[in-house]
Amino acid sequence: MPRFLTLIRIDERDVPEGGPSPELRERMGALMEEITKAGVMLDTAGLAPTSEGTRVTWSGGKITSTDGPFTETKEVVGGYSLIQAKDKAEALEWAKRFLRVHEEYWTVTAEVREINENC
């Protein structure tokens, strides 16, 4: 079965003070339990804020690094999941279910990409 990486994109400036609500955490926990029991979830996690990150770039034969926060970036990867699904349609359905557990005031984007096993 193919594997899919889902990148969860957020605008760090729009995250509610104190993070996700207890109700969101509860709904998220239930979904994570369901997807794990279904044998689909391989790995998932949230990421530290960009203020704690570093970008390393190779350009012109040189390595440079820049510490966060990255002010020129509006939307950042806030988390990820690695799943094994029968096809892209199933992977997209799980991503949609993940998005639906959020309250309406959240703006969250899920980018679903199949992992190319031949690289």
Side-chain angles (χ1 to χ4, degrees):
M1 279 205 302
R3 295 183 303 156
F4 295 86
L5 178 66
T6 302
L7 301 170
I8 305 303
R9 298 185 181 276
I10 61 169
D11 183 337
E12 288 182 314
R13 298 170 296 185
D14 290 339
V15 175
E17 185 73 32
S21 68
E23 296 82 12
L24 172 55
R25 291 177 192 271
E26 186 176 318
R27 290 190 304 272
M28 189 67 65
L31 179 62
M32 291 301 114
E33 184 176 335
E34 180 183 350
I35 192 171
T36 300
K37 284 183 178 177
V40 174
M41 182 63 72
L42 301 175
D43 190 27
T44 188
L47 301 176
T50 60
S51 61
E52 298 175 23
T54 301
R55 287 185 180 163
V56 181
T57 303
W58 170 257
S59 179
K62 296 181 183 179
I63 294 279
T64 59
S65 63
T66 306
D67 290 333
F70 311 115
T71 56
E72 73 280 2
T73 303
K74 180 180 176 188
E75 193 177 70
V76 299
V77 177
Y80 73 93
S81 71
L82 179 62
I83 66 169
Q84 188 167 340
K86 64 182 177 186
D87 55 27
K88 188 174 183 180
E90 181 184 12
L92 288 171
E93 190 55 40
W94 284 112
K96 291 173 186 176
R97 290 188 62 194
F98 171 82
L99 294 175
R100 284 186 195 110
V101 302
H102 292 79
E103 290 93 356
E104 290 182 10
Y105 56 82
W106 282 84
T107 299
V108 184
T109 302
E111 179 182 334
V112 179
R113 297 172 64 183
E114 185 171 352
I115 294 175
N116 186 343
E117 304 289 351
N118 298 321
C119 288

